[in-house]
């Protein structure tokens, strides 16, 4: 294992603790301009997010109606009633984004797919980098004000859905996550820099509870005038 990755995993709770757990549940409130651009502005209603830690599966409720939830895997996404009845579903959902740019509208299944892969990625970071199929190398550090953040570049395996195949993660002197860079391939591939804050200890796992994503300029600097996505995470529970 990459030496920096080993230090990062230890700082966030350690692989032994992670491997003893299977699921995380949390309350999320999300917003940002991306959803308005896509024609589906996000309201501030708290929602319950459930993510499996060792396989790519996620669900959020309510979604679209008080008695509805999503069911996401990399190759299938659906919206269901509480009793299991399917409202809408899509196989191979990634293919539906072919030809999309930043301004292409999303339908509810597009939104459900984005929510599923994004929150699965965030709530399993950095431990997903130790999953089979990931390639991780150390990259040039990033200086943020008076801190130097060491970086890891991860190449995601084909079976894992996420923003882009290659993503960069930056960690502070304490080896805790500070920033996450990627391209949003399903929205025209714009470059994003996501900053994370307010790390908490939840059942032995350390994770940030605030995330703010911005577009990046040609020098990899965040364009702070516009928040593309905001996510607040409350009461994370691992089991």
């Amino acid at each position: 294992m990459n030496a920096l990755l080993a230090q990062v995993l230890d700082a966030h709770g350690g692989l032994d603790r992670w491997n003893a757990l299977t699921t995380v549940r949390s309350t999320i409130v999300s917003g940002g301009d991306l959803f308005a651009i896509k024609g589906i502005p996000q309201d501030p209603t708290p929602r319950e997010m459930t993510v499996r830690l060792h396989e790519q599966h996620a669900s959020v409720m309510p979604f679209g109606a008080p008695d509805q939830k999503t069911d996401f895997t990399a190759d299938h996404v659906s919206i269901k009633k509480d009793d299991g009845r399917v409202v809408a579903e899509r196989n191979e959902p990634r293919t539906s984004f072919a030809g999309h740019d930043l301004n292409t509208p999303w339908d509810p299944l597009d939104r459900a797919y984005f929510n599923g892969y994004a929150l699965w990625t965030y709530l399993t970071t950095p431990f997903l980098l130790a999953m089979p199929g990931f390639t991780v190398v150390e990259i040039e550090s990033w200086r943020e004000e008076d801190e130097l953040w060491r970086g890891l570049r991860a190449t995601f395996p084909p079976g894992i859905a996420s923003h882009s195949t290659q993503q960069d993660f930056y960690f502070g002197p304490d080896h805790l996550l500070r920033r996450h860079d990627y391209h949003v391939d399903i929205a025209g591939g714009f470059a994003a820099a996501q900053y994370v804050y307010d790390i908490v200890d939840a059942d032995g796992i350390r994770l940030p509870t605030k995330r703010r994503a911005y577009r990046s300029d040609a020098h990899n600097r965040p364009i702070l005038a516009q928040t593309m996505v905001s996510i607040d995470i409350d009461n994370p529970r691992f089991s």
Side-chain angles (χ1 to χ4, degrees):
M1 179 184 293
N2 177 284
L4 175 57
L5 177 57
Q7 294 173 312
V8 163
L9 297 179
D10 285 344
H12 287 83
L15 264 182
D16 287 346
R17 178 58 181 155
W18 182 258
N19 288 333
L21 302 166
T22 60
T23 304
V24 60
R25 295 178 174 84
S26 64
T27 301
I28 63 166
V29 175
S30 56
D33 288 352
L34 177 63
F35 305 115
I37 292 169
K38 291 299 185 181
I40 47 170
Q42 183 68 62
D43 66 66
T45 302
R47 291 171 167 82
E48 183 78 1
M49 191 80 207
T50 302
V51 161
R52 295 182 192 169
L53 305 182
H54 306 291
E55 59 179 309
Q56 195 169 34
H57 184 274
S59 177
V60 66
M61 62 180 300
F63 187 89
D67 63 341
Q68 291 181 179
K69 62 183 178 180
T70 67
D71 190 273
F72 159 84
T73 63
D75 58 5
H76 184 265
V77 65
S78 63
I79 302 167
K80 297 179 178 179
K81 294 291 186 181
D82 286 342
D83 62 8
R85 287 178 294 149
V86 175
V87 175
E89 64 181 333
R90 182 171 292 152
N91 291 317
E92 303 300 334
R94 193 79 171 202
T95 62
S96 70
F97 297 95
H100 278 217
D101 61 25
L102 178 58
N103 296 300
T104 305
W106 280 351
D107 65 22
L109 285 171
D110 293 332
R111 174 71 177 94
Y113 176 79
F114 175 80
N115 177 85
Y117 84 62
L119 268 296
W120 183 87
T121 299
Y122 304 154
L123 290 170
T124 60
T125 296
F127 295 96
L128 82 169
L129 303 180
M131 291 178 67
F134 280 81
T135 301
V136 180
V137 297
E138 187 164 359
I139 57 174
E140 183 179 355
S141 298
W142 175 264
R143 180 163 293 281
E144 187 83 14
E145 297 181 351
D146 61 346
E147 282 195 348
L148 192 67
W149 298 347
R150 294 174 69 184
L152 291 174
R153 175 163 294 164
T155 302
F156 282 54
I160 297 292
S162 194
H163 294 299
S164 52
T165 299
Q166 192 173 88
Q167 302 182 33
D168 295 340
F169 301 81
Y170 293 96
F171 305 90
D174 55 5
H175 297 117
L176 294 175
L177 184 67
R178 297 289 199 278
R179 173 173 161 161
H180 176 196
D181 289 5
Y182 46 85
H183 289 79
V184 186
D185 287 348
I186 65 171
F190 72 87
Q194 183 177 119
Y195 284 75
V196 307
Y197 310 94
D198 296 355
I199 290 176
V200 300
D201 187 308
D203 302 300
I205 299 298
R206 303 185 77 183
L207 76 163
T209 56
K210 292 188 184 299
R211 291 175 171 268
R212 299 294 183 268
Y214 310 94
R215 282 189 280 186
S216 297
D217 66 17
H219 302 285
N220 215 27
R221 295 178 302 225
I223 303 171
L224 299 177
Q226 182 182 41
T227 302
M228 295 299 283
V229 174
S230 66
I231 302 171
D232 292 344
I233 297 169
D234 185 47
N235 191 28
R237 292 101 61 205
F238 288 87
S239 60

